[in-house]
Amino acid sequence: MDNYQDTISALGLTAERPLLQAIAERLRNAAAASNSTVFHIHDDHFALILPQRSRREALQLTQAAIDCLQAPFPVYNIPVYLGAHAGLSSFPFHEQDEPARLLTKTWLAMHQASHSGRRYRSYDRRSDDTSLHTAELLGGLQGTLEQDQLRLFYQPKFDLETGRLSGMEALLRWEHPTRGRIPPDTFIPQTERTGLIHPLTRRVVEQALADLATFRAHGLAMPVSVNISARNFLEPDFAEDVLAMVHASGLPPCALELEFTESAIMSEPDEVIAALNRLTAAGLALSIDDFGTGYSSLAYLKRMPVTTLKIDQTFVRQMLEQPVDAQITRASISLAHDLGLKVVAEGAEDTATLDALRAWGCNAAQGYGVARPMLLDAAIAWAEDCGIESRVQARCATHRG
Ligand code: C2E
Ligand code: CA
Ligand code: CA
Protein backbone atom coordinates (compact mmCIF):
# COMPACT_ATOMS: atom_id res chain seq x y z
CA MET A 1 0.00 0.00 0.00
CA ASP A 2 1.05 3.56 -0.58
CA ASN A 3 0.66 6.19 2.15
CA TYR A 4 -0.17 3.54 4.72
CA GLN A 5 2.27 4.47 7.47
CA ASP A 6 1.51 8.17 7.12
CA THR A 7 -2.18 7.45 7.37
CA ILE A 8 -1.79 5.41 10.54
CA SER A 9 0.49 8.04 12.01
CA ALA A 10 -2.14 10.69 11.30
CA LEU A 11 -5.23 8.73 12.40
CA GLY A 12 -3.75 6.72 15.25
CA LEU A 13 -3.17 3.01 15.79
CA THR A 14 -6.85 2.30 16.35
CA ALA A 15 -7.40 3.05 12.66
CA GLU A 16 -5.13 0.17 11.66
CA ARG A 17 -7.46 -2.79 12.14
CA PRO A 18 -10.51 -1.37 10.34
CA LEU A 19 -8.27 -0.12 7.55
CA LEU A 20 -6.57 -3.51 7.04
CA GLN A 21 -9.97 -5.21 7.11
CA ALA A 22 -11.29 -2.82 4.48
CA ILE A 23 -8.26 -3.44 2.26
CA ALA A 24 -8.59 -7.22 2.64
CA GLU A 25 -12.30 -7.01 1.83
CA ARG A 26 -11.66 -5.17 -1.43
CA LEU A 27 -8.87 -7.55 -2.40
CA ARG A 28 -11.10 -10.56 -1.67
CA ASN A 29 -13.75 -9.13 -3.97
CA ALA A 30 -11.21 -8.47 -6.69
CA ALA A 31 -9.79 -11.98 -6.28
CA ALA A 32 -13.12 -13.80 -6.21
CA ALA A 33 -13.65 -13.70 -9.96
CA SER A 34 -10.37 -15.49 -10.67
CA ASN A 35 -10.54 -17.91 -7.75
CA SER A 36 -7.37 -16.58 -6.24
CA THR A 37 -6.62 -16.48 -2.52
CA VAL A 38 -5.69 -13.40 -0.51
CA PHE A 39 -3.11 -13.48 2.26
CA HIS A 40 -2.10 -10.78 4.68
CA ILE A 41 1.70 -10.98 4.76
CA HIS A 42 2.50 -8.28 7.27
CA ASP A 43 1.79 -4.62 7.97
CA ASP A 44 0.36 -3.20 4.77
CA HIS A 45 1.56 -6.05 2.54
CA PHE A 46 -0.81 -8.53 0.97
CA ALA A 47 -0.25 -11.45 -1.37
CA LEU A 48 -2.56 -13.04 -3.90
CA ILE A 49 -1.98 -16.54 -5.16
CA LEU A 50 -3.44 -17.49 -8.51
CA PRO A 51 -2.96 -21.19 -9.21
CA GLN A 52 -2.70 -22.77 -12.65
CA ARG A 53 -3.23 -19.64 -14.72
CA SER A 54 -1.53 -17.79 -17.51
CA ARG A 55 0.67 -14.75 -17.21
CA ARG A 56 -2.05 -12.69 -18.89
CA GLU A 57 -4.55 -13.65 -16.22
CA ALA A 58 -2.04 -12.83 -13.51
CA LEU A 59 -1.58 -9.37 -15.01
CA GLN A 60 -5.35 -8.86 -15.16
CA LEU A 61 -5.68 -9.81 -11.51
CA THR A 62 -2.84 -7.46 -10.56
CA GLN A 63 -4.49 -4.62 -12.41
CA ALA A 64 -7.82 -5.34 -10.76
CA ALA A 65 -6.22 -5.51 -7.31
CA ILE A 66 -4.46 -2.19 -7.78
CA ASP A 67 -7.57 -0.54 -9.22
CA CYS A 68 -9.80 -1.64 -6.34
CA LEU A 69 -7.47 0.07 -3.86
CA GLN A 70 -7.56 3.45 -5.60
CA ALA A 71 -10.94 4.59 -4.29
CA PRO A 72 -10.85 6.33 -0.89
CA PHE A 73 -11.32 4.29 2.31
CA PRO A 74 -13.69 5.88 4.77
CA VAL A 75 -11.99 5.79 8.17
CA TYR A 76 -13.75 7.67 10.98
CA ASN A 77 -15.74 9.33 8.21
CA ILE A 78 -12.57 10.71 6.65
CA PRO A 79 -11.86 9.63 3.07
CA VAL A 80 -8.37 8.14 3.11
CA TYR A 81 -6.54 7.73 -0.20
CA LEU A 82 -4.03 4.90 -0.16
CA GLY A 83 -3.26 3.37 -3.55
CA ALA A 84 -0.94 0.43 -4.07
CA HIS A 85 1.82 -1.05 -6.15
CA ALA A 86 2.58 -4.68 -6.81
CA GLY A 87 5.18 -7.21 -7.84
CA LEU A 88 4.66 -10.51 -9.66
CA SER A 89 6.56 -13.74 -9.82
CA SER A 90 5.53 -17.14 -11.08
CA PHE A 91 6.21 -20.79 -10.49
CA PRO A 92 8.03 -22.49 -12.12
CA PHE A 93 9.29 -19.67 -14.33
CA HIS A 94 10.99 -17.58 -11.66
CA GLU A 95 11.63 -20.13 -8.97
CA GLN A 96 11.47 -23.91 -9.00
CA ASP A 97 12.49 -24.89 -5.51
CA GLU A 98 11.62 -22.67 -2.64
CA PRO A 99 8.16 -21.13 -2.02
CA ALA A 100 9.78 -18.59 0.31
CA ARG A 101 12.18 -17.54 -2.44
CA LEU A 102 9.32 -17.11 -4.86
CA LEU A 103 7.71 -14.76 -2.36
CA THR A 104 11.00 -12.89 -1.92
CA LYS A 105 11.20 -12.37 -5.67
CA THR A 106 7.66 -11.01 -5.72
CA TRP A 107 8.66 -8.70 -2.91
CA LEU A 108 11.70 -7.47 -4.81
CA ALA A 109 9.60 -6.87 -7.91
CA MET A 110 7.19 -4.84 -5.80
CA HIS A 111 10.02 -2.64 -4.51
CA GLN A 112 11.28 -2.27 -8.05
CA ALA A 113 7.84 -1.10 -9.12
CA SER A 114 7.78 1.40 -6.30
CA HIS A 115 11.29 2.72 -7.01
CA SER A 116 10.67 3.09 -10.70
CA GLY A 117 7.32 4.81 -10.13
CA ARG A 118 5.37 2.01 -11.84
CA ARG A 119 2.20 0.42 -10.56
CA TYR A 120 3.50 -3.12 -10.92
CA ARG A 121 6.45 -5.08 -12.18
CA SER A 122 7.32 -8.68 -12.83
CA TYR A 123 10.39 -10.14 -11.27
CA ASP A 124 13.07 -9.93 -13.91
CA ARG A 125 16.42 -11.49 -13.35
CA ARG A 126 17.75 -10.25 -16.69
CA SER A 127 17.13 -6.62 -15.82
CA ASP A 128 20.14 -7.30 -13.62
CA ASP A 129 19.21 -4.66 -11.14
CA THR A 130 21.63 -4.85 -8.26
CA SER A 131 18.90 -4.54 -5.66
CA LEU A 132 17.18 -7.58 -7.11
CA HIS A 133 20.29 -9.60 -6.70
CA THR A 134 21.19 -8.35 -3.32
CA ALA A 135 18.55 -10.29 -1.47
CA GLU A 136 19.77 -13.45 -3.12
CA LEU A 137 23.32 -12.40 -2.47
CA LEU A 138 22.55 -11.73 1.13
CA GLY A 139 21.42 -15.31 1.56
CA GLY A 140 24.88 -16.25 0.37
CA LEU A 141 26.65 -13.69 2.49
CA GLN A 142 25.95 -15.53 5.69
CA GLY A 143 27.98 -18.38 4.23
CA THR A 144 30.82 -16.14 3.09
CA LEU A 145 31.58 -15.33 6.68
CA GLU A 146 32.73 -18.91 6.99
CA GLN A 147 34.09 -19.24 3.47
CA ASP A 148 36.94 -17.21 2.17
CA GLN A 149 35.10 -14.74 -0.05
CA LEU A 150 35.63 -11.44 1.69
CA ARG A 151 38.68 -9.41 0.67
CA LEU A 152 40.10 -6.23 2.03
CA PHE A 153 41.63 -3.80 -0.41
CA TYR A 154 43.91 -1.08 0.87
CA GLN A 155 43.96 2.51 -0.28
CA PRO A 156 46.86 4.74 0.85
CA LYS A 157 46.44 8.05 2.62
CA PHE A 158 49.14 10.44 1.59
CA ASP A 159 50.49 13.06 3.98
CA LEU A 160 50.53 16.29 1.98
CA GLU A 161 52.97 18.03 4.32
CA THR A 162 55.66 15.39 4.56
CA GLY A 163 55.01 13.46 1.36
CA ARG A 164 54.82 10.28 3.39
CA LEU A 165 52.35 7.48 3.46
CA SER A 166 50.25 8.31 6.53
CA GLY A 167 47.81 5.43 6.60
CA MET A 168 45.91 2.77 4.70
CA GLU A 169 42.13 2.41 4.56
CA ALA A 170 40.71 -1.11 4.40
CA LEU A 171 37.88 -1.33 1.86
CA LEU A 172 35.79 -4.45 1.65
CA ARG A 173 34.96 -6.45 -1.48
CA TRP A 174 33.09 -9.66 -1.83
CA GLU A 175 34.66 -12.13 -4.24
CA HIS A 176 31.53 -13.98 -5.27
CA PRO A 177 32.19 -17.39 -6.85
CA THR A 178 29.88 -16.76 -9.82
CA ARG A 179 29.14 -13.04 -9.86
CA GLY A 180 32.69 -11.81 -9.49
CA ARG A 181 33.80 -8.93 -7.35
CA ILE A 182 30.93 -7.15 -5.62
CA PRO A 183 31.49 -3.61 -4.26
CA PRO A 184 30.55 -2.83 -0.65
CA ASP A 185 27.76 -0.37 -1.49
CA THR A 186 25.85 -3.29 -3.00
CA PHE A 187 25.65 -5.37 0.13
CA ILE A 188 26.61 -3.30 3.20
CA PRO A 189 23.22 -1.51 3.44
CA GLN A 190 21.41 -4.86 3.48
CA THR A 191 23.72 -6.27 6.12
CA GLU A 192 22.98 -3.18 8.19
CA ARG A 193 19.25 -3.77 7.97
CA THR A 194 19.54 -7.44 8.84
CA GLY A 195 22.06 -7.25 11.64
CA LEU A 196 24.56 -9.28 9.63
CA ILE A 197 26.75 -6.19 9.84
CA HIS A 198 27.85 -7.22 13.34
CA PRO A 199 29.64 -10.48 12.44
CA LEU A 200 30.78 -8.84 9.18
CA THR A 201 32.48 -5.95 10.96
CA ARG A 202 34.15 -8.36 13.38
CA ARG A 203 35.55 -10.24 10.40
CA VAL A 204 36.80 -7.03 8.80
CA VAL A 205 38.48 -5.85 12.01
CA GLU A 206 40.09 -9.26 12.52
CA GLN A 207 41.35 -9.36 8.95
CA ALA A 208 42.63 -5.78 9.12
CA LEU A 209 44.54 -6.61 12.30
CA ALA A 210 46.08 -9.66 10.64
CA ASP A 211 47.04 -7.54 7.62
CA LEU A 212 48.46 -4.86 9.91
CA ALA A 213 50.84 -7.47 11.29
CA THR A 214 51.87 -8.32 7.71
CA PHE A 215 52.46 -4.64 6.87
CA ARG A 216 54.60 -4.36 9.99
CA ALA A 217 56.55 -7.47 9.08
CA HIS A 218 57.50 -5.55 5.92
CA GLY A 219 58.61 -2.58 7.96
CA LEU A 220 55.47 -0.55 7.19
CA ALA A 221 54.20 0.95 10.41
CA MET A 222 51.43 3.26 9.20
CA PRO A 223 48.02 2.86 10.85
CA VAL A 224 45.21 0.98 9.10
CA SER A 225 41.65 2.27 9.22
CA VAL A 226 38.45 0.27 8.91
CA ASN A 227 34.93 1.51 8.18
CA ILE A 228 32.45 1.05 10.97
CA SER A 229 28.71 1.23 10.37
CA ALA A 230 26.51 3.44 12.48
CA ARG A 231 24.69 0.23 13.34
CA ASN A 232 27.78 -1.26 14.95
CA PHE A 233 27.74 1.37 17.65
CA LEU A 234 24.25 0.36 18.69
CA GLU A 235 25.62 -2.94 19.95
CA PRO A 236 26.37 -2.33 23.60
CA ASP A 237 29.58 -4.39 23.61
CA PHE A 238 30.96 -3.12 20.33
CA ALA A 239 33.81 -1.04 21.78
CA GLU A 240 34.82 -3.82 24.17
CA ASP A 241 34.77 -6.40 21.35
CA VAL A 242 37.06 -4.26 19.21
CA LEU A 243 39.40 -3.63 22.13
CA ALA A 244 39.51 -7.37 22.88
CA MET A 245 40.44 -8.12 19.25
CA VAL A 246 43.16 -5.47 19.29
CA HIS A 247 44.48 -6.83 22.56
CA ALA A 248 44.50 -10.40 21.22
CA SER A 249 46.46 -9.27 18.15
CA GLY A 250 49.29 -7.96 20.29
CA LEU A 251 49.44 -4.81 18.15
CA PRO A 252 49.54 -1.33 19.67
CA PRO A 253 45.98 0.12 19.71
CA CYS A 254 47.17 3.27 17.92
CA ALA A 255 47.81 1.12 14.82
CA LEU A 256 44.06 0.77 14.30
CA GLU A 257 41.82 3.62 13.27
CA LEU A 258 38.03 3.54 12.98
CA GLU A 259 36.15 5.58 10.39
CA PHE A 260 32.47 6.24 10.88
CA THR A 261 29.95 8.82 9.72
CA GLU A 262 28.27 11.40 11.88
CA SER A 263 25.02 9.46 11.62
CA ALA A 264 26.60 6.91 13.96
CA ILE A 265 25.95 9.05 16.98
CA MET A 266 22.55 10.44 16.07
CA SER A 267 20.27 7.82 17.58
CA GLU A 268 21.96 7.27 20.95
CA PRO A 269 24.42 10.14 21.29
CA ASP A 270 25.34 9.65 24.95
CA GLU A 271 25.91 5.90 24.69
CA VAL A 272 27.87 6.19 21.44
CA ILE A 273 30.04 9.04 22.72
CA ALA A 274 30.76 6.98 25.84
CA ALA A 275 31.82 4.04 23.63
CA LEU A 276 33.99 6.36 21.51
CA ASN A 277 35.62 7.66 24.68
CA ARG A 278 36.46 4.12 25.78
CA LEU A 279 38.03 3.46 22.36
CA THR A 280 40.16 6.61 22.34
CA ALA A 281 41.14 6.14 25.99
CA ALA A 282 42.58 2.78 24.92
CA GLY A 283 44.57 4.50 22.18
CA LEU A 284 42.56 3.92 18.98
CA ALA A 285 42.32 6.76 16.47
CA LEU A 286 38.86 7.82 15.31
CA SER A 287 37.85 9.65 12.12
CA ILE A 288 34.62 11.19 10.94
CA ASP A 289 33.98 9.84 7.44
CA ASP A 290 32.08 11.52 4.59
CA PHE A 291 32.14 14.86 6.39
CA GLY A 292 29.69 17.35 4.94
CA THR A 293 27.18 14.84 3.58
CA GLY A 294 25.43 13.76 6.78
CA TYR A 295 23.36 15.63 9.28
CA SER A 296 26.37 17.41 10.61
CA SER A 297 25.85 18.68 14.06
CA LEU A 298 28.65 20.91 15.14
CA ALA A 299 27.59 20.51 18.75
CA TYR A 300 28.19 16.76 18.50
CA LEU A 301 31.37 17.23 16.54
CA LYS A 302 32.71 19.22 19.47
CA ARG A 303 31.80 16.45 21.92
CA MET A 304 33.17 13.58 19.88
CA PRO A 305 36.66 12.38 20.75
CA VAL A 306 37.79 12.18 17.14
CA THR A 307 41.23 12.99 15.79
CA THR A 308 40.51 13.33 12.09
CA LEU A 309 37.84 14.61 9.76
CA LYS A 310 37.55 13.17 6.24
CA ILE A 311 36.04 15.52 3.68
CA ASP A 312 33.71 13.59 1.42
CA GLN A 313 34.79 12.94 -2.14
CA THR A 314 31.67 14.55 -3.57
CA PHE A 315 33.24 17.93 -2.66
CA VAL A 316 36.83 17.08 -3.53
CA ARG A 317 36.50 15.29 -6.87
CA GLN A 318 35.43 18.34 -8.86
CA MET A 319 36.60 21.11 -6.59
CA LEU A 320 38.81 22.59 -9.28
CA GLU A 321 35.87 22.96 -11.65
CA GLN A 322 33.18 23.78 -9.11
CA PRO A 323 33.84 26.91 -7.04
CA VAL A 324 31.20 25.92 -4.47
CA ASP A 325 32.93 22.58 -3.89
CA ALA A 326 36.21 24.39 -3.45
CA GLN A 327 34.63 26.71 -0.90
CA ILE A 328 33.13 23.81 1.05
CA THR A 329 36.46 21.98 1.02
CA ARG A 330 38.39 25.04 2.22
CA ALA A 331 35.81 25.81 4.88
CA SER A 332 35.91 22.18 6.10
CA ILE A 333 39.70 22.31 6.32
CA SER A 334 39.63 25.44 8.39
CA LEU A 335 36.77 24.18 10.58
CA ALA A 336 38.69 20.97 11.28
CA HIS A 337 41.82 22.90 12.16
CA ASP A 338 39.92 25.29 14.41
CA LEU A 339 38.57 22.27 16.27
CA GLY A 340 42.08 20.84 16.58
CA LEU A 341 41.46 18.00 14.12
CA LYS A 342 43.53 16.67 11.25
CA VAL A 343 41.83 16.68 7.88
CA VAL A 344 41.97 14.13 5.08
CA ALA A 345 40.44 14.85 1.67
CA GLU A 346 38.89 11.84 -0.08
CA GLY A 347 38.56 11.48 -3.83
CA ALA A 348 41.64 13.46 -4.92
CA GLU A 349 41.84 12.23 -8.47
CA ASP A 350 44.75 14.21 -9.93
CA THR A 351 47.93 16.11 -9.15
CA ALA A 352 46.32 19.53 -9.53
CA THR A 353 43.79 18.63 -6.82
CA LEU A 354 46.57 17.36 -4.55
CA ASP A 355 48.50 20.59 -5.07
CA ALA A 356 45.47 22.74 -4.28
CA LEU A 357 44.70 20.72 -1.16
CA ARG A 358 48.28 21.12 0.00
CA ALA A 359 48.13 24.87 -0.63
CA TRP A 360 44.95 25.08 1.46
CA GLY A 361 46.64 23.35 4.39
CA CYS A 362 44.87 20.01 4.10
CA ASN A 363 46.88 17.41 6.04
CA ALA A 364 46.40 14.32 3.92
CA ALA A 365 44.72 13.09 0.77
CA GLN A 366 43.32 9.86 -0.50
CA GLY A 367 42.11 9.12 -4.00
CA TYR A 368 42.89 7.78 -7.42
CA GLY A 369 45.42 10.61 -7.82
CA VAL A 370 47.52 8.89 -5.18
CA ALA A 371 46.50 5.27 -5.65
CA ARG A 372 43.48 3.06 -6.14
CA PRO A 373 42.53 0.49 -3.53
CA MET A 374 44.81 -2.56 -3.86
CA LEU A 375 45.06 -6.08 -2.50
CA LEU A 376 47.44 -6.53 0.40
CA ASP A 377 50.45 -7.66 -1.64
CA ALA A 378 50.05 -4.80 -4.12
CA ALA A 379 49.60 -2.32 -1.28
CA ILE A 380 52.83 -3.52 0.31
CA ALA A 381 54.64 -3.26 -3.00
CA TRP A 382 53.17 0.21 -3.56
CA ALA A 383 54.24 1.41 -0.14
CA GLU A 384 57.74 0.09 -0.67
CA ASP A 385 57.98 1.56 -4.14
CA CYS A 386 59.14 5.14 -4.39
CA GLY A 387 57.86 5.38 -7.93
CA ILE A 388 54.91 7.33 -6.58
CA GLU A 389 57.09 10.43 -6.62
CA SER A 390 56.37 11.15 -10.23
CA ARG A 391 52.64 10.85 -9.75
CA VAL A 392 52.23 12.89 -6.62
CA GLN A 393 55.18 15.20 -7.17
CA ALA A 394 56.26 14.93 -3.63
CA ARG A 395 58.86 13.08 -1.69
CA CYS A 396 57.84 9.52 -1.05
CA ALA A 397 58.98 8.03 2.15
CA THR A 398 57.40 5.12 3.88
CA HIS A 399 57.17 4.77 7.60
CA ARG A 400 59.80 2.32 8.70
CA GLY A 401 60.17 0.61 11.99
P1 C2E B 1 34.21 5.45 1.85
O1 C2E B 1 34.61 5.05 3.23
O2 C2E B 1 33.88 6.88 1.62
O3 C2E B 1 35.36 4.93 0.91
C1 C2E B 1 35.82 5.61 -0.20
C2 C2E B 1 35.26 5.03 -1.47
O4 C2E B 1 35.65 5.87 -2.56
C3 C2E B 1 35.81 3.66 -1.82
O5 C2E B 1 34.80 2.98 -2.54
C4 C2E B 1 36.97 3.98 -2.75
O6 C2E B 1 37.31 2.94 -3.61
C5 C2E B 1 36.42 5.15 -3.51
N1 C2E B 1 37.45 6.06 -3.98
C6 C2E B 1 38.66 6.29 -3.42
N2 C2E B 1 39.34 7.21 -4.10
C7 C2E B 1 38.54 7.62 -5.11
C8 C2E B 1 38.70 8.59 -6.17
O7 C2E B 1 39.71 9.27 -6.31
N3 C2E B 1 37.65 8.73 -7.02
C9 C2E B 1 36.52 7.99 -6.89
N4 C2E B 1 35.54 8.19 -7.79
N5 C2E B 1 36.33 7.08 -5.91
C10 C2E B 1 37.35 6.90 -5.03
P2 C2E B 1 34.39 1.52 -2.12
O8 C2E B 1 35.60 0.73 -1.77
O9 C2E B 1 33.47 1.02 -3.17
O10 C2E B 1 33.60 1.74 -0.78
C11 C2E B 1 32.37 2.40 -0.77
C12 C2E B 1 31.88 2.59 0.65
O11 C2E B 1 31.57 1.32 1.25
C13 C2E B 1 32.93 3.20 1.56
O12 C2E B 1 32.93 4.58 1.38
C14 C2E B 1 32.43 2.77 2.93
O13 C2E B 1 31.44 3.64 3.39
C15 C2E B 1 31.78 1.42 2.64
N6 C2E B 1 32.67 0.33 3.08
C16 C2E B 1 33.77 -0.16 2.47
N7 C2E B 1 34.32 -1.14 3.20
C17 C2E B 1 33.55 -1.28 4.32
C18 C2E B 1 33.59 -2.12 5.48
O14 C2E B 1 34.48 -2.94 5.67
N8 C2E B 1 32.60 -1.96 6.41
C19 C2E B 1 31.63 -1.01 6.26
N9 C2E B 1 30.71 -0.91 7.21
N10 C2E B 1 31.55 -0.21 5.20
C20 C2E B 1 32.50 -0.33 4.24
CA1 CA C 1 35.93 5.44 4.81
CA1 CA D 1 33.20 9.00 1.32
Side-chain angles (χ1 to χ4, degrees):
M1 304 300 302
D2 305 326
N3 309 323
Y4 181 82
Q5 297 302 345
D6 288 344
T7 303
I8 298 300
S9 302
L11 298 178
L13 280 174
T14 48
E16 188 153 30
R17 239 188 131 68
L19 192 55
L20 287 175
Q21 275 162 353
I23 295 167
E25 189 53 39
R26 286 200 197 167
L27 285 174
R28 258 200 303 272
N29 288 338
S34 58
N35 240 340
S36 100
T37 321
V38 179
F39 297 85
H40 180 214
I41 302 285
H42 89 119
D43 274 359
D44 52 338
H45 297 90
F46 293 82
L48 293 117
I49 297 187
L50 183 63
Q52 314 279 353
R53 298 297 181 86
S54 69
R55 179 179 154 75
R56 196 172 52 83
E57 286 166 299
L59 287 175
Q60 276 166 356
L61 173 64
T62 306
Q63 196 71 57
I66 291 173
D67 287 346
C68 81
L69 300 170
Q70 291 301 317
F73 291 84
V75 184
Y76 305 143
N77 292 325
I78 302 167
V80 170
Y81 290 85
L82 291 177
H85 53 273
L88 285 91
S89 68
S90 71
F91 169 89
F93 187 64
H94 291 126
E95 174 63 41
Q96 293 82 41
D97 304 321
E98 277 291 322
R101 262 211 308 260
L102 188 65
L103 191 59
T104 302
K105 287 173 177 174
T106 314
W107 181 277
L108 291 170
M110 174 197 75
H111 280 293
Q112 270 272 293
S114 148
H115 288 154
S116 56
R118 305 223 311 240
R119 304 224 296 161
Y120 61 85
R121 260 188 100 146
S122 276
Y123 176 75
D124 181 7
R125 170 180 265 284
R126 286 160 308 167
S127 75
D128 199 35
D129 185 275
T130 42
S131 75
L132 288 182
H133 288 311
T134 333
E136 287 182 77
L137 286 174
L138 205 58
L141 188 60
Q142 186 79 61
T144 59
L145 291 174
E146 284 93 57
Q147 295 150 21
D148 190 27
Q149 295 176 15
L150 297 175
R151 290 279 175 292
L152 289 181
F153 276 59
Y154 288 93
Q155 188 176 35
K157 292 177 195 169
F158 178 72
D159 187 316
L160 291 164
E161 291 150 279
T162 64
R164 288 166 182 254
L165 171 68
S166 62
M168 288 273 187
E169 177 176 6
L171 294 160
L172 188 61
R173 274 100 185 91
W174 177 5
E175 302 285 351
H176 194 277
T178 54
R179 296 190 203 278
R181 184 169 298 154
I182 304 170
D185 290 335
T186 313
F187 61 93
I188 296 279
Q190 278 77 2
T191 65
E192 288 173 339
R193 284 197 284 276
T194 56
L196 211 56
I197 189 67
H198 300 303
L200 186 68
T201 301
R202 285 185 68 91
R203 267 297 298 271
V204 169
V205 172
E206 260 161 21
Q207 186 62 52
L209 287 167
D211 292 347
L212 248 170
T214 311
F215 279 126
R216 290 181 155 239
H218 284 80
L220 300 163
M222 75 286 147
V224 162
S225 64
V226 293
N227 290 283
I228 305 295
S229 282
R231 266 294 177 106
N232 290 128
F233 287 106
L234 298 181
E235 258 207 333
D237 295 333
F238 175 70
E240 281 62 37
D241 283 355
V242 171
L243 291 175
M245 285 187 272
V246 173
H247 186 69
S249 74
L251 292 161
C254 63
L256 187 67
E257 183 169 342
L258 306 183
E259 299 188 4
F260 52 90
T261 60
E262 295 143 285
S263 61
I265 66 152
M266 288 305 160
S267 52
E268 304 277 352
D270 294 329
E271 280 81 351
V272 175
I273 288 173
L276 296 178
N277 279 320
R278 294 199 295 280
L279 290 163
T280 33
L284 267 74
L286 304 179
S287 305
I288 298 281
D289 211 350
D290 297 353
F291 182 75
T293 60
Y295 303 93
S296 314
S297 159
L298 297 179
Y300 284 142
L301 194 60
K302 209 178 87 185
R303 283 180 66 196
M304 276 195 282
V306 294
T307 44
T308 308
L309 195 148
K310 294 186 79 178
I311 306 175
D312 193 64
Q313 51 175 289
T314 50
F315 305 116
V316 178
R317 274 204 313 258
Q318 284 149 23
M319 66 178 208
L320 297 182
E321 293 87 56
Q322 303 286 341
V324 176
D325 289 351
Q327 272 164 346
I328 292 173
T329 303
R330 295 182 74 158
S332 302
I333 294 169
S334 88
L335 174 72
H337 287 163
D338 288 349
L339 291 170
L341 305 176
K342 293 228 169 241
V343 53
V344 179
E346 297 178 338
E349 294 192 339
D350 50 44
T351 311
T353 303
L354 290 168
D355 289 342
L357 288 168
R358 185 183 299 110
W360 296 342
C362 186
N363 303 97
Q366 193 183 348
Y368 297 167
V370 179
R372 289 184 180 251
M374 300 166 275
L375 277 167
L376 180 65
D377 288 351
I380 291 170
W382 186 92
E384 287 175 331
D385 173 17
C386 284
I388 65 161
E389 258 168 343
S390 54
R391 264 175 291 148
V392 295
Q393 296 183 341
R395 189 170 62 89
C396 164
T398 51
H399 283 208
R400 294 273 163 188

